[in-house]
Amino acid sequence: MTDTIRLALVGMGKIAHDQHVPAIAGNPAFELVATVSRSPNGVEGVPHFHDIDELAKSDIAVDAVALCTPPQVRHAIAAAALENNWHVFLEKPPGATLAEVAVLEELAAKANVTLFASWHSRYALGVEPAREWLSARKVTSAAITWREDVRQWHPGQAWIWEAGGFGVFDPGINALSIATHIMPQPFFIEQATLDFPANRDAPIAADVAFRTTDGRPVTLDLDWRQEGHQSWDIVVETTDGTLKLAEGGAVLTLPDGSTPHHEEGLHGEYPGLYARFAELVQGGRSDVDIAPLRHVADAFMRGKRREVEDFVE
């Protein structure tokens, strides 16, 4: 492999264009050498392919791929990339099931290449200082509220309502990726209620109750029907006061009113992800944290299904 990581971007939807392309362009460790998508929406001046097999048969030299496809189709693409000995960056969630991610991890180990299950919300400005502050405190409870308007943030994305598309857990897994990172003790689900529109196969809202290993309550309130102000907040009560993370982890407020931030977070979430991916590739390591995905799977296993009115976009 050359010093520069020759990267192909697979799945050219909104997140790829808005976040991945600028982050790749801003990191000298990477060169975008190809895009892959069933749609023609590639990047000007970059070779574009219909699928990953077409890319593999081309004369384009590739070291790594970043997968931004819906989770239901990602496993086969990732497996093909690993079989080509390409390093793989998985957009969140890393897969549609836990089992398929485990298989990818085994394939990456056998091929001696990097597999990176990325969680962009962990790179928000306030997350790392929140983790550091909580590491020395005793948590008494935590409340996570992630409420947004699906029509605003996910317009026309039919796949997200299909089985394996996660529904409201698509943004909700961002909250869980932060919570599993900052909480000083693990937590597990006790009960949940999932609201499914009568005409959809994925939930539009969820109310989940967790408990930490030392018996402290953690609640998760997800809703895609929010109008007006959007809420992406985590409030952690401790014996030393209340920690608040707002705006999806971007704004941290400690009990004394101070708002510390981590300097490394200044470059943004996706630049942080690509810096991490480059570090892993160059160090010959993988990073496959499935804790957020495991909580989502547990919610579907433990949750009561409640049918609500049809969702019509």
Side-chain angles (χ1 to χ4, degrees):
M1 190 178 76
T2 62
D3 290 339
T4 301
I5 301 167
R6 298 165 296 192
L7 182 95
L9 190 54
V10 183
M12 296 306 297
K14 180 176 173 57
I15 195 71
H17 284 282
D18 290 355
Q19 301 293 345
H20 288 259
V21 171
I24 295 164
N27 191 322
F30 293 97
E31 177 190 0
L32 183 61
V33 296
T35 58
V36 180
S37 182
R38 289 177 296 179
S39 76
N41 299 322
V43 174
E44 186 176 356
V46 177
H48 185 72
F49 299 88
H50 181 265
D51 57 44
I52 199 165
D53 290 334
E54 190 177 275
L55 171 62
K57 292 174 183 176
S58 75
D59 59 359
I60 302 293
V62 175
D63 301 311
V65 296
L67 303 189
C68 306
T69 65
Q72 297 100 318
V73 300
R74 196 176 301 156
H75 176 265
I77 299 170
L82 293 169
E83 288 169 3
N84 280 287
N85 295 318
W86 296 340
H87 306 287
V88 175
F89 174 127
L90 299 170
E91 175 61 90
K92 68 86 190 172
T97 69
L98 290 164
E100 68 185 47
V101 177
V103 169
L104 293 178
E105 193 170 11
E106 291 177 3
L107 289 174
K110 289 179 180 177
N112 196 30
V113 295
T114 293
L115 181 65
F116 179 35
S118 72
W119 301 106
H120 67 82
S121 291
R122 288 182 176 175
Y123 291 80
L125 198 62
V127 172
E128 198 56 37
R131 172 185 169 92
E132 292 171 0
W133 190 85
L134 287 170
S135 67
R137 268 77 187 182
K138 183 175 179 59
V139 171
T140 58
S141 67
I144 306 166
T145 305
W146 235 247
R147 289 174 161 249
E148 63 183 43
D149 184 349
V150 65
R151 293 180 175 90
Q152 176 181 344
W153 297 101
H154 302 277
Q157 296 183 20
W159 64 267
I160 214 165
W161 293 106
E162 297 169 359
F166 286 60
V168 75
F169 283 98
D170 179 78
I173 204 169
N174 293 334
L176 289 167
S177 75
I178 295 174
T180 54
H181 188 63
I182 67 172
M183 290 288 284
Q185 286 192 316
F187 52 92
F188 56 91
I189 189 171
E190 289 193 316
Q191 60 183 15
T193 300
L194 280 55
D195 289 348
F196 284 74
N199 62 336
R200 304 289 176 170
D201 292 322
I204 197 169
D207 184 12
V208 186
F210 301 92
R211 194 162 296 278
T212 65
T213 52
D214 65 344
R216 307 299 178 175
V218 178
T219 60
L220 174 66
D221 174 12
L222 305 177
D223 204 317
W224 253 351
R225 299 166 294 195
Q226 183 86 339
E227 296 180 358
H229 176 71
Q230 312 284 283
S231 302
W232 302 287
D233 304 318
I234 298 177
V235 177
V236 184
E237 301 289 348
T238 78
T239 53
D240 291 327
T242 303
L243 175 147
K244 297 180 181 178
L245 270 174
E247 301 300 326
V251 180
L252 168 65
T253 305
L254 297 180
D256 62 2
S258 63
T259 56
H261 61 262
H262 204 271
E263 290 298 326
E264 293 180 0
L266 293 175
H267 48 49
E269 295 180 6
Y270 279 83
L273 287 178
Y274 275 94
R276 175 63 172 161
F277 188 39
E279 175 189 346
L280 291 168
V281 170
Q282 292 160 358
R285 295 176 290 123
S286 290
D287 180 356
V288 188
D289 179 8
I290 61 167
L293 181 59
R294 186 167 55 231
H295 283 308
V296 173
D298 286 353
F300 278 96
M301 285 195 297
R302 287 294 308 264
K304 296 179 180 179
R305 179 184 176 121
R306 182 168 61 189
E307 188 170 292
V308 297
E309 64 183 0
D310 287 0
F311 172 80
V312 179
E313 191 166 354

